[in-house]
Amino acid sequence: ILTHLRSFEMEVNRFYTNHVMMVEPTKFFFNTETACDNEFMHNVEEDNEAIANKAIQEHRDLRAKIEEAGITVTKYEQMADDLPDSLFPNNWFSTHKYPGNIDNRLVCVYPMKAPTRQREVNPKIIEDFSDPESHTIDLTGFCEKGQVLEGTGALIFDPVNLKVYANISQRCEKDVLDHFLEQFNSKCQEPFRSVVFSSCTSSGTPIYHTNVMFSVLSEHIVVCLESIPDEEERKKVVEEITSSELNKYPKKLLEISLDEVNNMCGNIICVLNKDQEPCVIMATTAYNGFKPENLEELKAHYKIIHSDVSTIEKIGGGSAR
């Protein structure tokens, strides 16, 4: 049994990275362009310089904790002071290298909804993460058509089971998703397929990004089923996560509540440390916000890295993911 479990762990862990990229803010403030469909953002009566200083320190503290845990971090800085959401680069940029399926790195650049966010695309980052053997999918042309697909905020990849989970919203349009998947699969030996649904906050507002309520870890999928109002979609999501017929390696479903979503418990990410041990990075808000039984389940399977990013969460409406 132990040999089999170790074999499973090695098979799954090879799809997870031990290297993350972060963009440190230089200025950080409430972005009115992105607030219109992000209920998690809150404007506060505080000097923008004071807000920025807090956010910069929170970002540095999080990076230090990640590095202390034995995970490599490549750091860039915000390109311009009027791009306050630059510290969320995963929305416009992702890389993929899945041994046996995508053997050469694939770089994906996504179309953002807000004009300020469209300007975050950094050629230096794209160049640094590309090489002569890599491929690039550039979807930024969709911006001219007013069409949107905001990276791994919108798309949650399960590379082991060849799926992309996506909550359809103003930040994730089905037509663009279908086009992306066609391009993505042209670089794969085994194709991915999408699992789409719609989710809402407790007030009934559509959730802007999938990664607020959904996360794929090495052994679990964290999901807020309560946020999916359609019963058939809810059943479909559960089946897609747990069915042995639909998955090479079915994952354990870790259900979180809308209260946990409000505490950013869905906005977490699984990476490996230098010893190839799975770690979960989250905000301290999430660490304190998980139901005790859910946190204990995570602690039993992963090393937990958490840091206070409460200013970034309140003003920016995003968290550690």
Side-chain angles (χ1 to χ4, degrees):
I1 291 174
L2 290 175
T3 303
H4 176 71
L5 288 174
R6 181 58 184 164
S7 175
F8 163 79
E9 183 180 286
M10 291 175 67
E11 170 71 12
V12 171
N13 283 355
R14 69 193 179 98
F15 293 103
Y16 289 84
T17 187
N18 59 2
H19 184 183
V20 299
M21 183 267 284
M22 300 177 72
V23 175
E24 183 176 295
T26 56
K27 296 291 182 182
F28 182 71
F29 53 89
F30 184 82
N31 188 346
T32 55
E33 286 185 359
T34 56
C36 60
D37 65 341
N38 183 347
E39 194 175 285
F40 299 91
M41 294 175 64
H42 302 281
N43 205 354
V44 297
E45 294 184 6
E46 189 172 358
D47 178 73
N48 278 350
E49 185 174 352
I51 291 171
N53 288 337
K54 288 180 183 178
I56 291 167
Q57 191 59 54
E58 289 176 2
H59 197 271
R60 289 174 178 172
D61 291 345
L62 174 61
R63 186 176 82 245
K65 288 191 176 182
I66 293 171
E67 290 175 330
E68 286 168 8
I71 298 154
T72 301
V73 178
T74 296
K75 188 205 82 168
Y76 295 86
E77 286 192 354
Q78 183 175 328
M79 284 197 300
D81 288 346
D82 62 345
L83 303 178
D85 294 316
S86 295
L87 74 172
F88 303 122
N90 66 298
N91 299 152
W92 69 263
F93 173 82
S94 69
T95 64
H96 307 264
K97 189 172 183 179
Y98 306 138
N101 195 8
I102 301 177
D103 291 322
N104 297 321
R105 179 180 290 156
L106 177 60
V107 176
C108 302
V109 187
Y110 300 93
M112 304 296 292
K113 182 186 175 191
T116 51
R117 300 227 59 195
Q118 293 169 12
R119 290 173 47 226
E120 291 174 23
V121 175
N122 187 335
K124 172 66 172 169
I125 293 176
I126 297 171
E127 179 184 355
D128 287 353
F129 283 89
S130 301
D131 58 55
E133 302 299 320
S134 64
H135 302 281
T136 301
I137 296 174
D138 185 350
L139 301 177
T140 54
F142 280 98
C143 293
E144 297 177 6
K145 305 174 185 177
Q147 292 185 282
V148 179
L149 187 69
E150 294 199 342
T152 57
L155 308 176
I156 310 298
F157 290 83
D158 181 354
V160 180
N161 295 306
L162 303 173
K163 297 179 191 180
V164 181
Y165 291 90
N167 165 54
I168 301 302
S169 71
Q170 292 184 41
R171 313 280 189 102
C172 179
E173 296 187 33
K174 182 65 164 56
D175 289 349
V176 190
L177 168 58
D178 291 342
H179 176 85
F180 165 75
L181 208 55
E182 181 180 347
Q183 296 294 308
F184 188 84
N185 283 337
S186 72
K187 310 301 181 186
C188 298
Q189 296 176 43
E190 293 184 89
F192 283 62
R193 62 184 178 85
S194 62
V195 179
V196 301
F197 52 88
S198 297
S199 67
C200 299
T201 65
S202 52
S203 68
T205 303
I207 289 179
Y208 77 110
H209 275 164
T210 316
N211 73 358
V212 172
M213 50 73 65
F214 201 108
S215 180
V216 173
L217 311 180
S218 59
E219 297 183 49
H220 298 76
I221 287 184
V222 178
V223 60
C224 180
L225 296 174
E226 183 185 359
S227 71
I228 304 174
D230 185 273
E231 183 178 354
E232 290 305 312
E233 285 191 346
R234 217 163 38 241
K235 288 179 180 177
K236 178 185 72 174
V237 168
V238 171
E239 186 179 16
E240 288 285 358
I241 293 170
T242 60
S243 170
S244 57
E245 295 180 358
L246 298 175
N247 297 282
K248 184 178 181 181
Y249 294 114
K251 294 180 184 282
K252 185 173 182 179
L253 191 155
L254 186 70
E255 185 174 358
I256 59 174
S257 67
L258 280 167
D259 283 343
E260 287 171 290
V261 167
N262 290 334
N263 284 306
M264 296 296 178
C265 297
N267 199 244
I268 62 180
I269 185 171
C270 185
V271 296
L272 303 178
N273 64 15
K274 61 184 179 182
D275 297 318
Q276 300 300 296
E277 298 169 313
C279 305
V280 172
I281 301 171
M282 65 179 69
T284 299
T285 302
Y287 185 85
N288 293 331
F290 270 112
K291 292 177 181 178
E293 60 271 25
N294 283 342
L295 185 59
E296 288 307 310
E297 177 70 15
L298 293 174
K299 285 181 172 180
H301 293 86
Y302 311 96
K303 293 184 177 296
I304 306 297
I305 303 163
H306 70 92
S307 190
D308 175 26
V309 291
S310 53
T311 303
I312 293 169
E313 290 172 324
K314 190 170 188 176
I315 306 297
S319 190
R321 174 67 181 87

